[in-house]
Structure formats: structure tokens, C-alpha cells
Amino acid sequence: QQQVKQSPQSLIVQKGGISIINCAYENTAFDYFPWYQQFPGKGPALLIAIRPDVSEKKEGRFTISFNKSAKQFSLHIMDSQPGDSATYFCAANNYNQGGKLIFGQGTELSVKP
Amino acid sequence: DVKVTQSSRYLVKRTGEKVFLECVQDMDHENMFWYRQDPGLGLRLIYFSYDVKMKEKGDIPEGYSVSREKKERFSLILESASTNQTSMYLCASNHLYGYTFGSGTRLTVV
């Protein structure tokens, strides 16, 4: 019940295209769903996050879509740019469990010019 | 901005050595975490701490220990380094929800 499953493991998108990364979870007690972006040689950095009381959150070209009944959430990157090439991690947690994040396996995104 | 600082970016150690990885955060966060990152396996939690002198095992604690004597500092200790501990090690801290990560320490055990 503690797992977060992320797909695909790697993704190649043309510049200007839409990148979509999907995650699924089991634990219905999770109440916070962040996405992290990691560039080579750097630690992951918070990109965008959503709570389960909304179905979508948009920040610039990045959108999280959340489907509570299906226990799935996804990251959409519109107008993908070569500078978006990075590894993306979804995660989930329940504050009552001490704020410990459960991470997906990661997606390596490559945006081709 | 919250800063999480890991003392070394790159380390090369010999098999059997005792290795210390240090992490310091500057925002008075209660919670601190150590993860290792390996290709295809994502981020795996080694140990975490909710307060000074408190520690809890994560998913892969074997071969590791931790120390938290001060709130801002959380140390990861490899008691006797082995080649299968070659990895990227990431420290993080948080107060409520989202983490702030350090830049990571890439450890190679030869």
C-alpha cells in the first residue's frame, strides 16, 4: 500500500510537444502529491504539488492532473523545451505518517530540438 | 530559501573503510532524511529522523547508521563500506510536507 508506481521509465519528446508522466498509488490516506525535477549533478527540486481536494493544478507549462477515484495523477509538460530534459519523480505522503515521502521510480525525459 | 548542504560532492573510499556523510540544514526543520539514488530504482529511504537523537529505519538501513546530535545536522555512517554501497546519496529536510534536498554526494567504493 505504500508504493507509488511511475511510468514510463524514459521518455523522448520533440521540442514543442507534450510530455506526459503517470503515477499510481494505493494508499488512500495520502494527502499530498508533489513532483520533483532533477538535473544531472543536482538534488531533486520541488516542481509542483497538488492536494486531493482539487483535480488539476497548473503552473506555467506544468500541469498536474489528479484522479482520486482511480488513485492516479500525472504531470503534463506543455510546449516541452530542451531545458526540460531532466529526471522527474512523483511522490506522495500522509502528514500523519511524519511527512515521509514515498517516491516513484523516476522518469528520464529527453526533449529533442 | 531553505538550504540543505552536503559536505562532499564526490567521495572515493576503500572497501572496509568507515565513511561519514554530513548534512546540514539552516531552517530549523524537525525532519531530516537520507536517501540513496540508483538508476532504475529511484530514491530509496535509508534512515530518517524526527528530532534530535531520534532515528528510524527506512526501507534499506542495512549497512548504515545515522547520528543526529544537533537539530541542524544529520550524519549518515557507513560502518564498513562495500562496493554495493557505491551510489548517489541525497539528504533532505522538511517541516510539514515538501522536501528540500541537498545537491547529493556521489560515493564510489573501490
Side-chain angles (χ1 to χ4, degrees):
Chain A
Q1 291 94 341
Q2 286 293 86
Q3 279 189 320
V4 176
K5 294 184 179 179
Q6 183 173 346
S7 63
Q9 191 170 349
S10 62
L11 182 61
I12 299 173
V13 173
Q14 290 295 125
K15 179 183 174 182
I18 302 173
S19 304
I20 301 173
I21 305 170
N22 301 299
C23 285
Y25 64 97
E26 292 291 330
N27 188 345
T28 55
F30 287 149
D31 58 2
Y32 175 71
F33 301 88
W35 284 88
Y36 285 81
Q37 180 188 54
Q38 184 183 30
F39 293 106
K42 302 284 188 182
L46 179 65
L47 181 64
I48 187 172
I50 197 168
R51 304 290 293 274
D53 51 348
V54 298
S55 60
E56 185 175 283
K57 183 172 181 181
K58 185 175 181 179
E59 289 184 3
R61 296 183 294 108
F62 299 90
T63 300
I64 300 179
S65 297
F66 186 81
N67 186 330
K68 191 173 181 178
S69 61
K71 291 185 283 187
Q72 294 175 347
F73 59 111
S74 59
L75 177 69
H76 291 65
I77 306 174
M78 311 301 288
D79 187 26
S80 299
Q81 300 296 313
D84 298 330
S85 297
T87 299
Y88 292 82
F89 293 96
C90 63
N93 80 348
N94 174 358
Y95 178 61
N96 289 331
Q97 293 177 1
K100 183 177 65 172
L101 279 170
I102 308 299
F103 286 90
Q105 294 82 358
T107 297
E108 194 171 338
L109 171 66
S110 178
V111 181
K112 299 298 186 186
Chain B
D1 270 358
V2 177
K3 234 182 175 177
V4 176
T5 304
Q6 293 184 233
S7 55
S8 305
R9 292 297 304 274
Y10 300 94
L11 275 178
V12 180
K13 296 293 181 181
R14 294 195 178 278
T15 301
E17 274 193 79
K18 191 169 186 176
V19 181
F20 294 85
L21 302 183
E22 305 288 344
C23 175
V24 177
Q25 51 97 0
D26 66 357
M27 281 299 290
D28 203 35
H29 284 171
E30 296 89 356
N31 306 326
M32 296 188 75
F33 308 84
W34 274 107
Y35 286 84
R36 65 177 282 177
Q37 181 177 9
D38 300 287
L41 297 178
L43 300 169
R44 294 182 292 168
L45 181 63
I46 304 171
Y47 266 98
F48 58 106
S49 168
Y50 293 139
D51 204 347
V52 175
K53 297 194 186 295
M54 293 184 67
K55 60 185 179 184
E56 290 197 34
K57 293 180 180 179
D59 300 318
I60 52 164
E62 296 79 19
Y64 303 94
S65 63
V66 290
S67 171
R68 193 162 181 205
E69 297 295 320
K70 293 184 178 181
K71 193 174 186 179
E72 67 271 18
R73 186 179 296 270
F74 191 34
S75 302
L76 180 69
I77 304 157
L78 285 66
E79 298 291 343
S80 177
S82 64
T83 55
N84 63 13
Q85 292 178 310
T86 291
S87 185
M88 168 71 90
Y89 290 88
L90 290 162
C91 175
S93 75
N94 80 340
H95 172 55
L96 288 177
Y97 286 96
Y99 286 6
T100 299
F101 281 93
S103 295
T105 296
R106 183 162 294 282
L107 172 67
T108 302
V109 183
V110 297

